[in-house]
Amino acid sequence: MKKLSLIMISMAIMSSCSKTALQPTASEANPTLSVGKSSKALTNGPGTNYFVNGATGSDTNTGLSTSVPLKTIQAALNKTTEGAAATINVLAGTYSERISFPHSGASSAAPIAVTNYSGAAVYLDGTSTNSGSNTNMVTIASKSHVRLNGITIQNDIMSFANGIAVTGSGTDVQINACSIHNVGWTTSMTAVPTSSNNAHALFVEGTSSTAYSNVYIGYNTIYSCATGYSEALSLTGNVKDFLIEHNVVHDITNIGIDMSGHYSYTTAPDSVNFARGGNVNYNTVYNCVSPVATSGGIYVDGGSYINIQGNTCYANGAGITVGCENNNYTATQINVRDNFIYNNVTAGIIYGSNQANSKVTYSTLSGNTFYNNFSQGGYGGEVEYQNTDHLNVFDNIIQSRSNVVVIALSGYTSTNLTMNYDDYYTSSGSSGTITFDWGGINSGGYYSFANFQSGTGLEANGLYNIPGFITASLPTPNLHLTSTSACLNRGLPGYTAASGELDIDSQARVQNSRVDIGADETAY
């Protein structure tokens, strides 16, 4: 479920893959970012330092010290120079303005930064500025080497509202330790939207043949946003080499984090019109539920060469979804690994395109812990497949609140599927009553683990055991493994962690001679 065009209103990855229809560049296949990765506020940063104090400042001041501060953030930004470092130090207060970066910084070491001075509580508030044509609280349009740090953005309620909008092309943009809330098309979190009702908390859109690259979004909190048919945190169009880490995204009326592609409204050339070459790591995403469609906590929709690692996703419409909503395209090399996924409204994960001529290809689902999803009840699986090709599934814990574990959904195809070394457990406590619904593959099903193994040749080394979690009680289970867990040292023999791969706690993925099953790697 996607937004309408916003451009009208606002100016590694998979070493186990053998091949792909679209070859990534070196940076896309192995994305690395040299960026700040902390929640600490900047103070007296590089370049000229300007100071802003909404209570005592004047925009006629020089702004060069706290004794002669400017009054508005925009006045400070307007004093910056193209290609020169500057730091805008904002003192505590509420600032009723919408800001735009007029210049790029010089380099990653010499950026233009807006930061809360000495960790001050700084609020950029849209309450009194939401009647004009500018829907963005913060605009970064084709600018490079810029930073936004430690700012709270709030109360932007209007059609196509954006807390932060990064559009065009450029490189080295960092959004760090900000809070974004109450940004939406309406103040009501229960209103039912139509496709014309859209808003984003944070939006990055590459709109030309030159990518927006080296984008860092880390340690932010995004919550209570009525986004309509859009998403809270979204990357789309020609965007590459990104890192989205340690954010908390919750209470959103649609998708939490989204990486999409092949939407014509971006105006990016077709060959590069998709988010790619990125990592989505160690985010916590919950209560992202749409009233009109199944909304993933984290969603890849037509993006490629993306790792989704170490995240905790619960109480969303679905935990994680990987697909391609635009027909005649392919999403490729998406690794979903080492995540805790539990108690979501529908499936823990939905993997594959829902379009007749599109697929998700050459991807992996490995080392995750799925627990008691499909909280709405009724018939549904922990893991559900749509159109996939060469999906490799292994080392996952899949514990269902019912007896249904995996569904290959009817009307779709899953070709060249591999599954092995996964551990299953169901409500019956018996491997003789487990359900693998194989309607999308052979129009049939398997209703015991032994029959599934013999009938498909899959899960030859799979297990049916109680996983052995520290605490299995909802709504706050502890899905780490006990010292007596049946999943210890039972994963794929000889498994070597991918470059940059760690477990759910950022610890070594393989700690003994053999990897554990599930997202938690233990020292036992």
mmCIF file of all heavy atoms in Angstrom, residues 122-124 148-155 163-164 175-183 201 218-223 225 248 250:
data_model
loop_
_atom_site.group_PDB
_atom_site.id
_atom_site.type_symbol
_atom_site.label_atom_id
_atom_site.label_comp_id
_atom_site.label_asym_id
_atom_site.label_seq_id
_atom_site.Cartn_x
_atom_site.Cartn_y
_atom_site.Cartn_z
ATOM 1 N N VAL A 122 14.926 20.504 22.125
ATOM 2 C CA VAL A 122 14.589 21.410 21.023
ATOM 3 C C VAL A 122 13.405 20.838 20.265
ATOM 4 O O VAL A 122 13.450 19.692 19.800
ATOM 5 C CB VAL A 122 15.791 21.597 20.078
ATOM 6 C CG1 VAL A 122 15.392 22.441 18.870
ATOM 7 C CG2 VAL A 122 16.958 22.223 20.822
ATOM 8 N N TYR A 123 12.341 21.637 20.124
ATOM 9 C CA TYR A 123 11.121 21.198 19.459
ATOM 10 C C TYR A 123 10.882 22.048 18.222
ATOM 11 O O TYR A 123 10.782 23.284 18.311
ATOM 12 C CB TYR A 123 9.921 21.313 20.398
ATOM 13 C CG TYR A 123 10.077 20.496 21.655
ATOM 14 C CD1 TYR A 123 10.636 21.058 22.804
ATOM 15 C CD2 TYR A 123 9.694 19.161 21.688
ATOM 16 C CE1 TYR A 123 10.795 20.309 23.957
ATOM 17 C CE2 TYR A 123 9.859 18.398 22.837
ATOM 18 C CZ TYR A 123 10.408 18.981 23.967
ATOM 19 O OH TYR A 123 10.578 18.246 25.107
ATOM 20 N N LEU A 124 10.796 21.407 17.080
ATOM 21 C CA LEU A 124 10.403 22.069 15.839
ATOM 22 C C LEU A 124 8.935 21.743 15.650
ATOM 23 O O LEU A 124 8.564 20.598 15.359
ATOM 24 C CB LEU A 124 11.251 21.555 14.683
ATOM 25 C CG LEU A 124 11.190 22.326 13.359
ATOM 26 C CD1 LEU A 124 11.707 23.751 13.540
ATOM 27 C CD2 LEU A 124 11.996 21.597 12.291
ATOM 28 N N LEU A 148 21.235 16.319 10.721
ATOM 29 C CA LEU A 148 20.182 16.780 11.625
ATOM 30 C C LEU A 148 20.274 15.900 12.862
ATOM 31 O O LEU A 148 20.153 14.673 12.771
ATOM 32 C CB LEU A 148 18.807 16.663 10.982
ATOM 33 C CG LEU A 148 17.648 17.308 11.749
ATOM 34 C CD1 LEU A 148 17.785 18.831 11.739
ATOM 35 C CD2 LEU A 148 16.305 16.891 11.161
ATOM 36 N N ASN A 149 20.502 16.514 14.006
ATOM 37 C CA ASN A 149 20.826 15.759 15.203
ATOM 38 C C ASN A 149 20.043 16.258 16.420
ATOM 39 O O ASN A 149 20.053 17.447 16.735
ATOM 40 C CB ASN A 149 22.328 15.882 15.506
ATOM 41 C CG ASN A 149 22.770 14.967 16.634
ATOM 42 O OD1 ASN A 149 23.087 13.816 16.415
ATOM 43 N ND2 ASN A 149 22.782 15.496 17.861
ATOM 44 N N GLY A 150 19.344 15.346 17.087
ATOM 45 C CA GLY A 150 18.774 15.640 18.392
ATOM 46 C C GLY A 150 17.609 16.597 18.401
ATOM 47 O O GLY A 150 17.337 17.224 19.432
ATOM 48 N N ILE A 151 16.877 16.712 17.292
ATOM 49 C CA ILE A 151 15.743 17.637 17.203
ATOM 50 C C ILE A 151 14.441 16.851 17.281
ATOM 51 O O ILE A 151 14.300 15.810 16.640
ATOM 52 C CB ILE A 151 15.788 18.431 15.880
ATOM 53 C CG1 ILE A 151 17.157 19.104 15.677
ATOM 54 C CG2 ILE A 151 14.653 19.442 15.829
ATOM 55 C CD1 ILE A 151 17.511 20.130 16.716
ATOM 56 N N THR A 152 13.482 17.352 18.049
ATOM 57 C CA THR A 152 12.138 16.788 18.060
ATOM 58 C C THR A 152 11.276 17.525 17.052
ATOM 59 O O THR A 152 11.187 18.760 17.079
ATOM 60 C CB THR A 152 11.513 16.889 19.453
ATOM 61 O OG1 THR A 152 12.246 16.058 20.358
ATOM 62 C CG2 THR A 152 10.062 16.438 19.445
ATOM 63 N N ILE A 153 10.644 16.781 16.166
ATOM 64 C CA ILE A 153 9.772 17.346 15.122
ATOM 65 C C ILE A 153 8.363 16.874 15.413
ATOM 66 O O ILE A 153 8.105 15.668 15.527
ATOM 67 C CB ILE A 153 10.244 16.885 13.733
ATOM 68 C CG1 ILE A 153 11.676 17.389 13.481
ATOM 69 C CG2 ILE A 153 9.300 17.364 12.646
ATOM 70 C CD1 ILE A 153 12.357 16.726 12.300
ATOM 71 N N GLN A 154 7.437 17.817 15.523
ATOM 72 C CA GLN A 154 6.107 17.451 15.999
ATOM 73 C C GLN A 154 5.011 18.331 15.413
ATOM 74 O O GLN A 154 5.251 19.421 14.912
ATOM 75 C CB GLN A 154 6.054 17.569 17.528
ATOM 76 C CG GLN A 154 6.298 18.974 18.047
ATOM 77 C CD GLN A 154 6.416 19.042 19.561
ATOM 78 O OE1 GLN A 154 6.749 18.069 20.225
ATOM 79 N NE2 GLN A 154 6.131 20.222 20.126
ATOM 80 N N ASN A 155 3.807 17.765 15.430
ATOM 81 C CA ASN A 155 2.575 18.511 15.158
ATOM 82 C C ASN A 155 2.526 19.093 13.748
ATOM 83 O O ASN A 155 2.206 20.261 13.546
ATOM 84 C CB ASN A 155 2.383 19.626 16.191
ATOM 85 C CG ASN A 155 2.315 19.083 17.605
ATOM 86 O OD1 ASN A 155 1.871 17.962 17.839
ATOM 87 N ND2 ASN A 155 2.775 19.872 18.568
ATOM 88 N N GLY A 163 7.557 15.007 8.096
ATOM 89 C CA GLY A 163 8.417 15.523 9.149
ATOM 90 C C GLY A 163 9.756 15.958 8.578
ATOM 91 O O GLY A 163 10.205 17.082 8.785
ATOM 92 N N ILE A 164 10.416 15.045 7.865
ATOM 93 C CA ILE A 164 11.681 15.328 7.177
ATOM 94 C C ILE A 164 11.549 14.801 5.761
ATOM 95 O O ILE A 164 11.206 13.636 5.562
ATOM 96 C CB ILE A 164 12.874 14.650 7.881
ATOM 97 C CG1 ILE A 164 12.991 15.103 9.338
ATOM 98 C CG2 ILE A 164 14.175 14.939 7.132
ATOM 99 C CD1 ILE A 164 13.992 14.298 10.148
ATOM 100 N N ILE A 175 20.513 11.575 9.624
ATOM 101 C CA ILE A 175 19.451 11.949 10.550
ATOM 102 C C ILE A 175 19.673 11.119 11.802
ATOM 103 O O ILE A 175 19.534 9.890 11.782
ATOM 104 C CB ILE A 175 18.058 11.676 9.963
ATOM 105 C CG1 ILE A 175 17.932 12.213 8.530
ATOM 106 C CG2 ILE A 175 16.986 12.239 10.882
ATOM 107 C CD1 ILE A 175 18.078 13.696 8.399
ATOM 108 N N ASN A 176 20.030 11.772 12.895
ATOM 109 C CA ASN A 176 20.525 11.058 14.063
ATOM 110 C C ASN A 176 19.853 11.554 15.345
ATOM 111 O O ASN A 176 19.784 12.753 15.599
ATOM 112 C CB ASN A 176 22.046 11.270 14.172
ATOM 113 C CG ASN A 176 22.686 10.403 15.228
ATOM 114 O OD1 ASN A 176 22.595 9.191 15.183
ATOM 115 N ND2 ASN A 176 23.336 11.052 16.192
ATOM 116 N N ALA A 177 19.344 10.612 16.137
ATOM 117 C CA ALA A 177 18.843 10.901 17.491
ATOM 118 C C ALA A 177 17.729 11.938 17.510
ATOM 119 O O ALA A 177 17.608 12.719 18.455
ATOM 120 C CB ALA A 177 19.992 11.346 18.397
ATOM 121 N N CYS A 178 16.894 11.955 16.471
ATOM 122 C CA CYS A 178 15.737 12.845 16.437
ATOM 123 C C CYS A 178 14.487 12.101 16.906
ATOM 124 O O CYS A 178 14.441 10.872 16.914
ATOM 125 C CB CYS A 178 15.520 13.394 15.027
ATOM 126 S SG CYS A 178 16.819 14.515 14.462
ATOM 127 N N SER A 179 13.481 12.867 17.282
ATOM 128 C CA SER A 179 12.179 12.311 17.612
ATOM 129 C C SER A 179 11.148 12.957 16.691
ATOM 130 O O SER A 179 11.152 14.181 16.521
ATOM 131 C CB SER A 179 11.829 12.595 19.076
ATOM 132 O OG SER A 179 10.523 12.138 19.381
ATOM 133 N N ILE A 180 10.303 12.125 16.095
ATOM 134 C CA ILE A 180 9.272 12.632 15.176
ATOM 135 C C ILE A 180 7.945 12.040 15.612
ATOM 136 O O ILE A 180 7.789 10.818 15.661
ATOM 137 C CB ILE A 180 9.583 12.242 13.715
ATOM 138 C CG1 ILE A 180 11.011 12.639 13.330
ATOM 139 C CG2 ILE A 180 8.575 12.880 12.772
ATOM 140 C CD1 ILE A 180 11.447 12.107 11.966
ATOM 141 N N HIS A 181 6.997 12.916 15.923
ATOM 142 C CA HIS A 181 5.689 12.407 16.333
ATOM 143 C C HIS A 181 4.588 13.389 15.973
ATOM 144 O O HIS A 181 4.820 14.571 15.734
ATOM 145 C CB HIS A 181 5.668 12.106 17.832
ATOM 146 C CG HIS A 181 5.791 13.312 18.715
ATOM 147 N ND1 HIS A 181 4.715 13.959 19.246
ATOM 148 C CD2 HIS A 181 6.879 13.988 19.155
ATOM 149 C CE1 HIS A 181 5.113 14.973 19.988
ATOM 150 N NE2 HIS A 181 6.432 15.016 19.950
ATOM 151 N N ASN A 182 3.388 12.849 15.918
ATOM 152 C CA ASN A 182 2.199 13.615 15.542
ATOM 153 C C ASN A 182 2.401 14.320 14.200
ATOM 154 O O ASN A 182 2.114 15.507 14.048
ATOM 155 C CB ASN A 182 1.812 14.625 16.627
ATOM 156 C CG ASN A 182 0.361 15.087 16.482
ATOM 157 O OD1 ASN A 182 -0.483 14.338 15.996
ATOM 158 N ND2 ASN A 182 0.088 16.322 16.877
ATOM 159 N N VAL A 183 2.876 13.560 13.238
ATOM 160 C CA VAL A 183 2.955 13.999 11.847
ATOM 161 C C VAL A 183 1.964 13.136 11.074
ATOM 162 O O VAL A 183 2.057 11.904 11.106
ATOM 163 C CB VAL A 183 4.373 13.834 11.276
ATOM 164 C CG1 VAL A 183 4.399 14.149 9.784
ATOM 165 C CG2 VAL A 183 5.355 14.727 12.032
ATOM 166 N N ALA A 201 6.685 10.461 8.312
ATOM 167 C CA ALA A 201 7.542 11.062 9.331
ATOM 168 C C ALA A 201 8.888 11.425 8.729
ATOM 169 O O ALA A 201 9.424 12.508 8.963
ATOM 170 C CB ALA A 201 7.724 10.103 10.500
ATOM 171 N N GLY A 218 19.680 6.878 12.098
ATOM 172 C CA GLY A 218 19.960 6.066 13.266
ATOM 173 C C GLY A 218 19.558 6.698 14.580
ATOM 174 O O GLY A 218 19.613 7.916 14.750
ATOM 175 N N TYR A 219 19.122 5.850 15.512
ATOM 176 C CA TYR A 219 18.826 6.241 16.895
ATOM 177 C C TYR A 219 17.683 7.264 16.995
ATOM 178 O O TYR A 219 17.626 8.058 17.924
ATOM 179 C CB TYR A 219 20.077 6.782 17.579
ATOM 180 C CG TYR A 219 21.183 5.760 17.694
ATOM 181 C CD1 TYR A 219 22.136 5.620 16.694
ATOM 182 C CD2 TYR A 219 21.255 4.912 18.795
ATOM 183 C CE1 TYR A 219 23.142 4.674 16.788
ATOM 184 C CE2 TYR A 219 22.256 3.957 18.903
ATOM 185 C CZ TYR A 219 23.196 3.842 17.893
ATOM 186 O OH TYR A 219 24.187 2.895 17.982
ATOM 187 N N ASN A 220 16.769 7.210 16.038
ATOM 188 C CA ASN A 220 15.612 8.090 16.077
ATOM 189 C C ASN A 220 14.409 7.367 16.687
ATOM 190 O O ASN A 220 14.335 6.134 16.683
ATOM 191 C CB ASN A 220 15.255 8.547 14.659
ATOM 192 C CG ASN A 220 16.406 9.248 13.978
ATOM 193 O OD1 ASN A 220 16.730 10.384 14.289
ATOM 194 N ND2 ASN A 220 17.062 8.557 13.043
ATOM 195 N N THR A 221 13.469 8.153 17.178
ATOM 196 C CA THR A 221 12.197 7.617 17.657
ATOM 197 C C THR A 221 11.077 8.245 16.835
ATOM 198 O O THR A 221 10.992 9.475 16.721
ATOM 199 C CB THR A 221 11.984 7.935 19.146
ATOM 200 O OG1 THR A 221 13.064 7.380 19.901
ATOM 201 C CG2 THR A 221 10.684 7.349 19.641
ATOM 202 N N ILE A 222 10.248 7.388 16.234
ATOM 203 C CA ILE A 222 9.151 7.846 15.392
ATOM 204 C C ILE A 222 7.875 7.196 15.913
ATOM 205 O O ILE A 222 7.796 5.961 16.004
ATOM 206 C CB ILE A 222 9.388 7.463 13.918
ATOM 207 C CG1 ILE A 222 10.691 8.099 13.397
ATOM 208 C CG2 ILE A 222 8.206 7.875 13.051
ATOM 209 C CD1 ILE A 222 11.092 7.622 12.004
ATOM 210 N N TYR A 223 6.882 8.003 16.249
ATOM 211 C CA TYR A 223 5.683 7.411 16.835
ATOM 212 C C TYR A 223 4.469 8.317 16.650
ATOM 213 O O TYR A 223 4.575 9.502 16.352
ATOM 214 C CB TYR A 223 5.905 7.126 18.317
ATOM 215 C CG TYR A 223 6.103 8.348 19.198
ATOM 216 C CD1 TYR A 223 5.055 8.885 19.942
ATOM 217 C CD2 TYR A 223 7.343 8.972 19.287
ATOM 218 C CE1 TYR A 223 5.235 9.991 20.750
ATOM 219 C CE2 TYR A 223 7.532 10.074 20.097
ATOM 220 C CZ TYR A 223 6.477 10.584 20.827
ATOM 221 O OH TYR A 223 6.667 11.693 21.612
ATOM 222 N N CYS A 225 1.991 8.601 14.391
ATOM 223 C CA CYS A 225 1.860 9.279 13.104
ATOM 224 C C CYS A 225 0.770 8.606 12.279
ATOM 225 O O CYS A 225 0.833 7.393 12.030
ATOM 226 C CB CYS A 225 3.177 9.251 12.335
ATOM 227 S SG CYS A 225 4.503 10.197 13.103
ATOM 228 N N VAL A 248 13.480 3.386 16.882
ATOM 229 C CA VAL A 248 12.262 2.835 17.473
ATOM 230 C C VAL A 248 11.083 3.474 16.746
ATOM 231 O O VAL A 248 10.926 4.698 16.758
ATOM 232 C CB VAL A 248 12.185 3.120 18.985
ATOM 233 C CG1 VAL A 248 10.892 2.557 19.564
ATOM 234 C CG2 VAL A 248 13.394 2.528 19.706
ATOM 235 N N HIS A 250 6.937 3.187 16.280
ATOM 236 C CA HIS A 250 5.765 2.541 16.860
ATOM 237 C C HIS A 250 4.526 3.409 16.755
ATOM 238 O O HIS A 250 4.593 4.630 16.583
ATOM 239 C CB HIS A 250 6.025 2.168 18.323
ATOM 240 C CG HIS A 250 6.216 3.329 19.255
ATOM 241 N ND1 HIS A 250 5.194 3.885 19.981
ATOM 242 C CD2 HIS A 250 7.331 4.039 19.588
ATOM 243 C CE1 HIS A 250 5.659 4.867 20.738
ATOM 244 N NE2 HIS A 250 6.958 4.988 20.512
#
